[in-house]
Short mmCIF file of all heavy atoms in Angstrom, two decimals:
data_model
loop_
_atom_site.label_atom_id
_atom_site.label_comp_id
_atom_site.label_asym_id
_atom_site.label_seq_id
_atom_site.Cartn_x
_atom_site.Cartn_y
_atom_site.Cartn_z
N GLY A 81 18.69 11.48 -5.50
CA GLY A 81 19.86 10.62 -5.52
C GLY A 81 19.63 9.32 -6.25
O GLY A 81 18.59 9.10 -6.86
N GLY A 82 20.64 8.45 -6.19
CA GLY A 82 20.57 7.18 -6.90
C GLY A 82 20.66 6.00 -5.95
O GLY A 82 20.77 6.16 -4.73
N GLY A 83 20.61 4.80 -6.53
CA GLY A 83 20.67 3.60 -5.73
C GLY A 83 19.34 3.31 -5.06
O GLY A 83 18.36 4.03 -5.23
N THR A 84 19.30 2.23 -4.29
CA THR A 84 18.09 1.88 -3.56
C THR A 84 17.89 2.88 -2.43
O THR A 84 18.78 3.11 -1.63
CB THR A 84 18.19 0.46 -2.99
OG1 THR A 84 18.38 -0.46 -4.07
CG2 THR A 84 16.92 0.08 -2.24
N LYS A 85 16.70 3.47 -2.37
CA LYS A 85 16.40 4.49 -1.38
C LYS A 85 15.67 3.89 -0.19
O LYS A 85 14.90 2.95 -0.33
CB LYS A 85 15.53 5.60 -1.99
CG LYS A 85 16.02 6.16 -3.31
CD LYS A 85 17.41 6.76 -3.20
CE LYS A 85 17.43 7.97 -2.30
NZ LYS A 85 18.82 8.52 -2.16
N MET A 86 15.94 4.45 0.99
CA MET A 86 15.13 4.11 2.17
C MET A 86 14.09 5.20 2.31
O MET A 86 14.37 6.31 2.73
CB MET A 86 15.99 4.01 3.43
CG MET A 86 15.18 3.66 4.67
SD MET A 86 14.13 2.20 4.42
CE MET A 86 12.86 2.45 5.65
N ILE A 87 12.86 4.88 1.91
CA ILE A 87 11.77 5.85 1.80
C ILE A 87 10.75 5.54 2.89
O ILE A 87 10.51 4.37 3.20
CB ILE A 87 11.13 5.75 0.40
CG1 ILE A 87 12.20 5.90 -0.68
CG2 ILE A 87 10.05 6.81 0.22
CD1 ILE A 87 11.70 5.62 -2.09
N PRO A 88 10.14 6.56 3.50
CA PRO A 88 9.19 6.30 4.59
C PRO A 88 7.90 5.64 4.16
O PRO A 88 7.07 5.30 5.01
CB PRO A 88 8.93 7.70 5.17
CG PRO A 88 9.29 8.64 4.08
CD PRO A 88 10.40 8.00 3.33
N VAL A 89 7.68 5.48 2.86
CA VAL A 89 6.53 4.73 2.36
C VAL A 89 7.04 3.69 1.36
O VAL A 89 8.11 3.84 0.77
CB VAL A 89 5.49 5.63 1.67
CG1 VAL A 89 4.98 6.69 2.62
CG2 VAL A 89 6.05 6.28 0.42
N SER A 90 6.25 2.64 1.17
CA SER A 90 6.57 1.68 0.12
C SER A 90 5.90 2.11 -1.18
O SER A 90 4.96 2.91 -1.18
CB SER A 90 6.07 0.28 0.49
OG SER A 90 4.65 0.21 0.35
N ARG A 91 6.35 1.54 -2.27
CA ARG A 91 5.58 1.62 -3.48
C ARG A 91 4.35 0.72 -3.34
O ARG A 91 4.42 -0.33 -2.71
CB ARG A 91 6.43 1.19 -4.68
CG ARG A 91 7.47 2.23 -5.05
CD ARG A 91 8.53 1.71 -5.99
NE ARG A 91 9.53 0.94 -5.27
CZ ARG A 91 10.75 0.68 -5.75
NH1 ARG A 91 11.10 1.12 -6.95
NH2 ARG A 91 11.61 -0.01 -5.04
N PRO A 92 3.21 1.13 -3.90
CA PRO A 92 1.98 0.36 -3.70
C PRO A 92 1.81 -0.75 -4.73
O PRO A 92 2.34 -0.70 -5.82
CB PRO A 92 0.89 1.42 -3.86
CG PRO A 92 1.47 2.35 -4.89
CD PRO A 92 2.95 2.40 -4.61
N ARG A 93 1.02 -1.75 -4.35
CA ARG A 93 0.54 -2.78 -5.28
C ARG A 93 -0.98 -2.79 -5.23
O ARG A 93 -1.57 -2.64 -4.16
CB ARG A 93 1.07 -4.16 -4.91
CG ARG A 93 2.56 -4.30 -4.92
CD ARG A 93 3.12 -4.47 -6.31
NE ARG A 93 2.82 -5.78 -6.86
CZ ARG A 93 3.36 -6.25 -7.99
NH1 ARG A 93 4.20 -5.51 -8.68
NH2 ARG A 93 3.04 -7.45 -8.44
N ILE A 94 -1.61 -3.01 -6.38
CA ILE A 94 -3.05 -3.04 -6.44
C ILE A 94 -3.54 -4.38 -6.96
O ILE A 94 -2.98 -4.92 -7.92
CB ILE A 94 -3.61 -1.88 -7.30
CG1 ILE A 94 -5.14 -1.82 -7.20
CG2 ILE A 94 -3.13 -1.95 -8.73
CD1 ILE A 94 -5.74 -0.56 -7.79
N ALA A 95 -4.55 -4.92 -6.28
CA ALA A 95 -5.22 -6.15 -6.73
C ALA A 95 -6.69 -5.83 -6.88
O ALA A 95 -7.29 -5.24 -5.98
CB ALA A 95 -5.02 -7.27 -5.72
N SER A 96 -7.28 -6.21 -7.99
CA SER A 96 -8.69 -5.90 -8.21
C SER A 96 -9.33 -6.94 -9.11
O SER A 96 -8.68 -7.52 -9.98
CB SER A 96 -8.82 -4.51 -8.86
OG SER A 96 -10.18 -4.23 -9.15
N ASP A 97 -10.64 -7.15 -8.91
CA ASP A 97 -11.43 -7.98 -9.81
C ASP A 97 -12.28 -7.11 -10.73
O ASP A 97 -13.19 -7.60 -11.40
CB ASP A 97 -12.30 -8.96 -9.04
CG ASP A 97 -13.27 -8.26 -8.09
OD1 ASP A 97 -13.37 -7.01 -8.14
OD2 ASP A 97 -13.94 -8.95 -7.31
N GLY A 98 -11.98 -5.83 -10.79
CA GLY A 98 -12.72 -4.90 -11.63
C GLY A 98 -13.74 -4.10 -10.87
O GLY A 98 -14.20 -3.06 -11.36
N LYS A 99 -14.07 -4.54 -9.67
CA LYS A 99 -15.00 -3.79 -8.82
C LYS A 99 -14.32 -3.50 -7.48
O LYS A 99 -13.90 -2.38 -7.23
CB LYS A 99 -16.30 -4.56 -8.63
CG LYS A 99 -17.11 -4.69 -9.92
CD LYS A 99 -18.44 -5.40 -9.67
CE LYS A 99 -19.25 -5.51 -10.96
NZ LYS A 99 -20.53 -6.22 -10.75
N ARG A 100 -14.24 -4.50 -6.62
CA ARG A 100 -13.51 -4.30 -5.37
C ARG A 100 -12.01 -4.23 -5.66
O ARG A 100 -11.54 -4.77 -6.67
CB ARG A 100 -13.81 -5.44 -4.39
CG ARG A 100 -13.37 -6.79 -4.93
CD ARG A 100 -13.57 -7.90 -3.93
NE ARG A 100 -13.20 -9.16 -4.53
CZ ARG A 100 -12.71 -10.19 -3.85
NH1 ARG A 100 -12.54 -10.10 -2.56
NH2 ARG A 100 -12.42 -11.32 -4.48
N ALA A 101 -11.30 -3.58 -4.77
CA ALA A 101 -9.85 -3.46 -4.97
C ALA A 101 -9.15 -3.38 -3.63
O ALA A 101 -9.69 -2.83 -2.66
CB ALA A 101 -9.52 -2.23 -5.81
N TYR A 102 -7.94 -3.92 -3.59
CA TYR A 102 -7.05 -3.82 -2.45
C TYR A 102 -5.80 -3.06 -2.89
O TYR A 102 -5.17 -3.42 -3.88
CB TYR A 102 -6.63 -5.20 -1.94
CG TYR A 102 -7.77 -6.05 -1.44
CD1 TYR A 102 -8.41 -6.97 -2.29
CD2 TYR A 102 -8.21 -5.96 -0.12
CE1 TYR A 102 -9.44 -7.76 -1.83
CE2 TYR A 102 -9.25 -6.75 0.34
CZ TYR A 102 -9.87 -7.65 -0.52
OH TYR A 102 -10.89 -8.43 -0.06
N TYR A 103 -5.47 -2.02 -2.16
CA TYR A 103 -4.31 -1.17 -2.45
C TYR A 103 -3.34 -1.39 -1.29
O TYR A 103 -3.58 -0.94 -0.17
CB TYR A 103 -4.79 0.28 -2.52
CG TYR A 103 -3.87 1.30 -3.12
CD1 TYR A 103 -4.09 1.78 -4.41
CD2 TYR A 103 -2.83 1.85 -2.39
CE1 TYR A 103 -3.28 2.78 -4.96
CE2 TYR A 103 -2.02 2.84 -2.93
CZ TYR A 103 -2.25 3.31 -4.22
OH TYR A 103 -1.46 4.30 -4.75
N ILE A 104 -2.25 -2.11 -1.53
CA ILE A 104 -1.39 -2.61 -0.46
C ILE A 104 -0.14 -1.74 -0.37
O ILE A 104 0.48 -1.42 -1.38
CB ILE A 104 -0.99 -4.08 -0.74
CG1 ILE A 104 -2.22 -4.89 -1.15
CG2 ILE A 104 -0.33 -4.70 0.48
CD1 ILE A 104 -1.86 -6.16 -1.90
N PHE A 105 0.25 -1.37 0.85
CA PHE A 105 1.36 -0.44 1.02
C PHE A 105 1.92 -0.52 2.44
O PHE A 105 1.39 -1.21 3.30
CB PHE A 105 0.91 1.00 0.70
CG PHE A 105 -0.14 1.53 1.65
CD1 PHE A 105 0.21 2.35 2.71
CD2 PHE A 105 -1.48 1.21 1.47
CE1 PHE A 105 -0.75 2.85 3.58
CE2 PHE A 105 -2.45 1.71 2.33
CZ PHE A 105 -2.09 2.52 3.39
N ARG A 106 2.98 0.26 2.66
CA ARG A 106 3.58 0.43 3.99
C ARG A 106 3.92 1.91 4.15
O ARG A 106 4.49 2.52 3.25
CB ARG A 106 4.83 -0.44 4.12
CG ARG A 106 5.63 -0.28 5.41
CD ARG A 106 6.85 0.62 5.24
NE ARG A 106 7.68 0.25 4.11
CZ ARG A 106 8.58 1.07 3.58
NH1 ARG A 106 8.73 2.31 4.03
NH2 ARG A 106 9.31 0.69 2.54
N ASP A 107 3.56 2.51 5.30
CA ASP A 107 3.73 3.94 5.51
C ASP A 107 4.19 4.17 6.94
O ASP A 107 3.60 3.62 7.88
CB ASP A 107 2.41 4.66 5.24
CG ASP A 107 2.56 6.18 5.17
OD1 ASP A 107 3.56 6.72 5.67
OD2 ASP A 107 1.65 6.82 4.62
N SER A 108 5.22 5.01 7.12
CA SER A 108 5.70 5.33 8.47
C SER A 108 4.60 6.00 9.30
O SER A 108 4.62 5.92 10.53
CB SER A 108 6.93 6.24 8.39
OG SER A 108 6.61 7.46 7.74
N GLU A 109 3.64 6.65 8.65
CA GLU A 109 2.52 7.23 9.39
C GLU A 109 1.66 6.18 10.07
O GLU A 109 0.94 6.49 11.02
CB GLU A 109 1.65 8.07 8.46
CG GLU A 109 2.30 9.36 7.99
CD GLU A 109 1.34 10.25 7.23
OE1 GLU A 109 0.22 9.79 6.91
OE2 GLU A 109 1.72 11.40 6.96
N ARG A 110 1.73 4.94 9.58
CA ARG A 110 1.00 3.82 10.18
C ARG A 110 1.98 2.85 10.85
O ARG A 110 1.75 1.64 10.89
CB ARG A 110 0.15 3.12 9.13
CG ARG A 110 -0.82 4.05 8.41
CD ARG A 110 -1.78 3.29 7.52
NE ARG A 110 -2.74 2.52 8.32
CZ ARG A 110 -3.89 3.02 8.78
NH1 ARG A 110 -4.23 4.27 8.50
NH2 ARG A 110 -4.71 2.25 9.49
N CYS A 111 3.11 3.41 11.33
CA CYS A 111 4.14 2.63 12.04
C CYS A 111 4.76 1.56 11.14
O CYS A 111 5.21 0.51 11.63
CB CYS A 111 3.57 2.00 13.31
SG CYS A 111 2.93 3.22 14.48
N SER A 112 4.79 1.79 9.83
CA SER A 112 5.44 0.91 8.85
C SER A 112 4.91 -0.52 8.92
O SER A 112 5.66 -1.49 8.77
CB SER A 112 6.96 0.94 9.02
OG SER A 112 7.45 2.23 8.76
N ARG A 113 3.63 -0.66 9.13
CA ARG A 113 3.00 -1.98 9.13
C ARG A 113 2.58 -2.35 7.70
O ARG A 113 2.62 -1.53 6.80
CB ARG A 113 1.79 -1.98 10.05
CG ARG A 113 2.14 -1.75 11.51
CD ARG A 113 0.92 -1.40 12.33
NE ARG A 113 1.26 -1.31 13.76
CZ ARG A 113 0.50 -0.69 14.65
NH1 ARG A 113 -0.63 -0.10 14.27
NH2 ARG A 113 0.87 -0.65 15.92
N VAL A 114 2.18 -3.60 7.51
CA VAL A 114 1.55 -4.00 6.26
C VAL A 114 0.13 -3.45 6.28
O VAL A 114 -0.68 -3.85 7.12
CB VAL A 114 1.53 -5.53 6.10
CG1 VAL A 114 0.79 -5.92 4.81
CG2 VAL A 114 2.95 -6.08 6.09
N SER A 115 -0.16 -2.53 5.38
CA SER A 115 -1.46 -1.87 5.36
C SER A 115 -2.17 -2.11 4.04
O SER A 115 -1.53 -2.36 3.01
CB SER A 115 -1.30 -0.36 5.59
OG SER A 115 -0.68 -0.07 6.82
N VAL A 116 -3.49 -2.03 4.08
CA VAL A 116 -4.28 -2.20 2.88
C VAL A 116 -5.44 -1.22 2.90
O VAL A 116 -6.10 -1.04 3.92
CB VAL A 116 -4.78 -3.66 2.72
CG1 VAL A 116 -5.65 -4.07 3.89
CG2 VAL A 116 -5.54 -3.84 1.41
N ALA A 117 -5.63 -0.54 1.77
CA ALA A 117 -6.82 0.27 1.55
C ALA A 117 -7.78 -0.55 0.70
O ALA A 117 -7.36 -1.23 -0.24
CB ALA A 117 -6.46 1.58 0.86
N PHE A 118 -9.05 -0.49 1.04
CA PHE A 118 -10.06 -1.30 0.36
C PHE A 118 -11.19 -0.42 -0.15
O PHE A 118 -11.62 0.52 0.51
CB PHE A 118 -10.64 -2.34 1.33
CG PHE A 118 -11.79 -3.13 0.76
CD1 PHE A 118 -11.55 -4.13 -0.17
CD2 PHE A 118 -13.10 -2.85 1.13
CE1 PHE A 118 -12.60 -4.86 -0.70
CE2 PHE A 118 -14.16 -3.58 0.60
CZ PHE A 118 -13.91 -4.58 -0.32
N THR A 119 -11.66 -0.73 -1.37
CA THR A 119 -12.86 -0.10 -1.89
C THR A 119 -13.75 -1.16 -2.52
O THR A 119 -13.25 -2.14 -3.09
CB THR A 119 -12.54 0.99 -2.93
OG1 THR A 119 -13.76 1.60 -3.38
CG2 THR A 119 -11.78 0.43 -4.12
N GLU A 120 -15.04 -0.98 -2.40
CA GLU A 120 -16.00 -1.92 -2.99
C GLU A 120 -16.34 -1.57 -4.43
O GLU A 120 -16.98 -2.36 -5.12
CB GLU A 120 -17.28 -1.95 -2.14
CG GLU A 120 -17.05 -2.51 -0.74
CD GLU A 120 -18.29 -2.42 0.12
OE1 GLU A 120 -19.20 -1.65 -0.25
OE2 GLU A 120 -18.34 -3.11 1.15
#
């Protein structure tokens, strides 16, 4: 469909310094909280 969708996940944003990274998102599987995945 069209228009703004109500989706059970957010689109992600990534922040990185080239090594470590934060992958920021929201997912109904995690009760729609502000969540972050981290890698070194």
